[in-house]
Amino acid sequence: KMNVVASTPSYPGDTITAGGRVTRKYAGEGDNRVDCLLTVTKQDASTVITCRATVILPARSRTAPGAWPSRS
């Protein structure tokens, strides 16, 4: 799932920087999910693009090292 908002135009010669962070980790039904916030900014620090995304990852065995606990 992804929601993208383009808020400010960028032009040739602009310096743009992309970044992101994980905002939430949780267990789904038989999988693991990660919500992310991604941003693209210009040299003047104005935001060009904001994207919120949910990434679905395969579930690990409950006994596997590093497996995420279920949040019931």
Side-chain angles (χ1 to χ4, degrees):
K1 178 171 119 175
M2 186 168 26
N3 178 19
V4 179
V5 176
S7 52
T8 303
S10 59
Y11 301 99
D14 283 344
T15 300
I16 59 171
T17 304
R21 62 186 173 95
V22 172
T23 58
R24 181 178 173 212
K25 296 180 189 178
Y26 55 101
E29 293 183 28
D31 57 29
N32 292 309
R33 297 172 186 227
V34 179
D35 289 346
C36 304
L37 175 63
L38 310 169
T39 57
V40 177
T41 56
K42 293 196 318 187
Q43 66 276 2
D44 63 1
S46 61
T47 300
V48 177
I49 297 172
T50 302
C51 176
R52 295 183 186 281
T54 300
V55 179
I56 299 174
L57 305 168
R60 295 181 185 167
S61 165
R62 294 265 185 237
T63 58
W68 294 353
S70 176
R71 293 186 180 180
S72 303

